[in-house]
Amino acid sequence: MEVAKWGGASGNRWRTTGDIKDTWTGMLDNIDPNDAYAQYVKPGGWNGSDDHVHPTRAGNMDYPDMLEVGNGGMTYDEYVVHFSLWAIAKAPIIGCVVTSIPKETLGILEPRSQSEARSYRLGIQGKKVRKYGDDLEVWAGRLTRHRKAVLLLNRGGGAARSAPVTAA
């Protein structure tokens, strides 16, 4: 029904994804539909799952469903990518029991900086900005003070790849 295209006229949050699965493909299956509707996000209108509310900004965050980091279905490296994609989408809500995950995995979830938290105020969801073939992607999102977060994603896994990416 593409509710993201019309949801802002009658509400402040709409669901863009189904329930996430704690697998590499399950995670990608949730970030892709959320990304497809990034252009409709603005302050007061958010892509989101129906059952997650940020404790300090109820109803004002975009979620391609919760983070699976720490639940055990992906590798450490896959969880790093998962967290990074959710951060670009401004959606890092934890969906695991933090007290029972390994210290190494907990390190993925630690806040990187205060400016990262302040970037949520902009109301701008990061998105995929370039694709190279089937496996390489560049994602970007605005931060405060005219800065951008950039993520290079190799969906193919395994072998290292290069992409012709510049700051511009």
Side-chain angles (χ1 to χ4, degrees):
M1 294 176 44
E2 298 186 294
V3 69
K5 292 182 177 180
W6 53 267
S10 57
N12 68 350
R13 190 170 64 179
W14 44 86
R15 187 163 179 139
T16 59
T17 67
D19 290 339
I20 193 166
K21 293 179 182 68
D22 189 12
T23 64
W24 176 254
T25 56
M27 179 268 298
L28 292 175
D29 287 347
N30 273 49
I31 197 64
D32 289 332
N34 198 65
D35 175 60
Y37 296 110
Q39 69 199 50
Y40 299 102
V41 173
K42 63 184 187 281
W46 306 89
N47 291 328
S49 171
D50 63 350
D51 55 355
H52 303 291
V53 177
H54 189 279
T56 60
R57 294 183 184 91
N60 289 331
M61 299 291 283
D62 53 311
Y63 292 106
D65 214 350
M66 70 181 137
L67 277 165
E68 292 293 336
V69 175
N71 287 330
M74 290 186 254
T75 67
Y76 177 84
D77 289 339
E78 289 170 340
Y79 279 141
V80 169
V81 172
H82 179 22
F83 181 84
S84 299
L85 284 166
W86 262 235
I88 284 280
K90 308 287 193 315
I93 185 169
I94 300 169
C96 68
V97 179
V98 178
T99 56
S100 66
I101 62 175
K103 192 173 192 172
E104 179 183 53
T105 304
L106 188 57
I108 297 170
L109 301 171
E110 292 176 342
R112 303 298 185 245
S113 70
Q114 289 298 315
S115 64
E116 186 177 289
R118 287 191 300 269
S119 73
Y120 288 91
R121 292 184 307 207
L122 297 175
I124 300 170
Q125 177 181 320
K127 60 185 178 180
K128 188 183 323 175
V129 295
R130 178 110 357 133
K131 190 168 178 161
Y132 299 98
D134 291 334
D135 295 333
L136 299 177
E137 298 173 353
V138 181
W139 292 65
R142 278 191 45 202
L143 300 172
T144 55
R145 294 181 290 195
H146 305 288
R147 295 173 300 141
K148 291 191 188 241
V150 177
L151 170 71
L152 305 176
L153 174 62
N154 178 0
R155 286 181 181 245
R161 308 270 309 273
S162 22
V165 177
T166 66

